Amino acid sequence: MDDNYRAAVDAAAIFSETDLRGCITYVNQQFCSISGYSREELLGANHRILNSGLHEPTFFLDMWRALAAGRVWKGEICNRAKDGSLYWVDSTMVPLIDPHTNKVRKYVSIRFDVTEKRQLLHTLQWRVGHDVLTGLPNRAYLSDLLNQALAFSRREAIPLAVCMLDLDGFKAVNDGYGHATGDLLLVEVARRLQSILRGGDAVARLSGDEFVLILRHIEGPQQLDAALQRILRALAAPYMVREQPLRLSASIGVTLFPQDDEDADALVRHADQAMYVAKQQGRNRYHVFDVSQELELKATHQTVTRVRRALRQGELCLHYQPKVNMRSGQVIGFEALLRWMHPSKGPVPPGEFLPLVEQTDLIVELGEWVIDQALTQLQQWHQAGRDWSLSVNIAARQLQRGDFAERLAGLLGRYPDVDPARLDLEIVESVAIDNLPRVGRCLDACRALGVRFSLDDFGTGYSSLSYLKRLPAQTIKIDKSFVRDILHDHDDLALAGAVIGLARAFGREVVAEGVESVEHGRVLMGLGCELAQGYGIARPMPVEAVAGWVAAYRQPRAWRQGLIARPPLGAWR
Ligand code: C2E
Ligand code: MG
Ligand code: MG
């Protein structure tokens, strides 16, 4: 190379020349300085002398292949200096071609030191994935770690524990001793956690005083207990921060894969939920996430979502079960019972979905829909000259809403032709027990609107006399579970008799549910109850069937004759 050019290149770059075998034939001063070797040591030596071992063999193979083919090669290479330290150079290797033979004669390489840039990049990359204070992986990197651990566990069928750890009382340290002390304490906590972990385990700092641990060596409950106790003990040992003795404990929530067979996000969420339970249970302990409970919750959620859609899509309807006076045969009214006409399963009884819906606010919306349907029906019956009453069931949650009476008034206002006294709200007494003063006020407000109340399923709850006195229900419905057995269980017979007597004493009407046979009706009449509802009279029916059924209904002769039945022989002791 022309000396002038070489002087220019020498000034600008790390420069060397190599023969076809890779032996160094020329190096400039910059080359000697950065590599730490003298010119004498380098000349004649193979270029491999600088190999850092950091690159795969294919890296150099590709490079030599390009050069041998006469192409320029560019890339960043990590070299090792004489003192063992690493440095990065941005290299351009140029094969020089002999113009006479047209063959590669030698290689020259022009390099620039990019070590600092590389270090900066590395630091930046590290910072992206780590918490600068403790040096632990951060939330972003945790997600990678957890996904890798999960993939491994799935592949190798190895259990995995994901733990959410939250320090107890850390805020008090921060507030009492300042953030600098708090920070040092976190560093020490991180150190203790790291020192406990075994190979393949990991700990990350999520935020503040929250850490996530991934434990791989958990074969069973004993090992889990041992590992977590070790962690709790280690963190509960005294601390000395800035000559300040400090104490701390931790609450840990754990979830176990594969029992909890979810993705990384869900596992962390479950561990978090379990951690809150550990906190509630008194801190300095761990709590294992309950998978079956979660599955139940999920099922509830699915059902509720499905019912919500059913309501929107018009898959719900009411069926009507008559209430009759057994003696006169008069149909006094109906109870509206919810039915879900499932597109594939057919009619679904309320017992299969209402208990789940009743745990959510959907019951409020659904309950209002039921009242609205009932009022529509009452209006149609009224227009047809039928003055039957109609009962609807009101769920506890619905009634406990502060605005129940107000909303009921709004609904009634939309049906001015309907006499509110035709609407009967069936409530179970437990509704009132939780909050008698408030519910009592609500019921009074509803009564002021003119609607009536029945106490449903009477006898199955507390059936307390004081509630009976204070609840403004005109009617008591004896629960079908007693009625069913009055023919052969003298206790149930006695109970039914007592409820009927009680109703009379309080001046309430009484309706027997679950009258399945003529005989049931006879015995009830003998006890003084004439109003009844049950399969023995009619099953709940769609609205189209109601008029026809009423027209055809004749009460059994045994009832018509008003025979006062004696209780079955031997029923009274
Ligand atoms: P409930 O209010 O006590 O209604 C009486 C239940 O007994 C109805 O069941 C009815 O079909 C059934 N039944 C009637 N006669 C007989 C009989 O002779 N023998 C037997 N074994 N059963 C009889 P259904 O329709 O399955 O409703 C069950 C419960 O679901 C109701 O009990 C009520 O608590 C609730 N429910 C029904 N519709 C609604 C509604 O619109 N809203 C609310 N919140 N709950 C409702
Ligand atoms: Mg009812
Ligand atoms: Mg009932």
Side-chain angles (χ1 to χ4, degrees), residues 323 335 391-394 399 424-433 436 439 443 452-480 482 499 502-503 506 508-513 533:
K323 289 186 211 174
E335 176 172 8
S391 302
V392 295
N393 294 281
I394 304 295
L399 206 64
D424 175 66
L425 305 181
E426 293 194 0
I427 57 171
V428 290
E429 60 185 324
S430 56
V431 167
I433 289 177
L436 188 58
V439 172
L443 297 186
R452 299 170 59 91
F453 281 100
S454 295
L455 268 185
D456 204 355
D457 303 347
F458 193 78
T460 56
Y462 289 90
S463 306
S464 135
L465 292 184
S466 68
Y467 286 125
L468 191 57
K469 192 174 131 227
R470 295 188 51 188
L471 291 178
Q474 290 89 346
T475 306
I476 290 172
K477 294 185 84 176
I478 313 174
D479 190 63
K480 56 180 176 293
F482 307 120
V499 171
L502 204 64
F506 279 93
R508 312 289 159 90
E509 238 170 24
V510 55
V511 177
E513 286 187 337
Q533 180 185 346

Side-chain angles (χ1 to χ4, degrees), residues 109-125:
S109 90
I110 301 156
R111 300 150 191 240
F112 297 95
D113 182 3
V114 290
T115 309
E116 255 178 50
K117 183 191 89 179
R118 275 276 171 175
Q119 272 165 355
L120 196 68
L121 207 65
H122 186 258
T123 311
L124 284 178
Q125 271 167 352

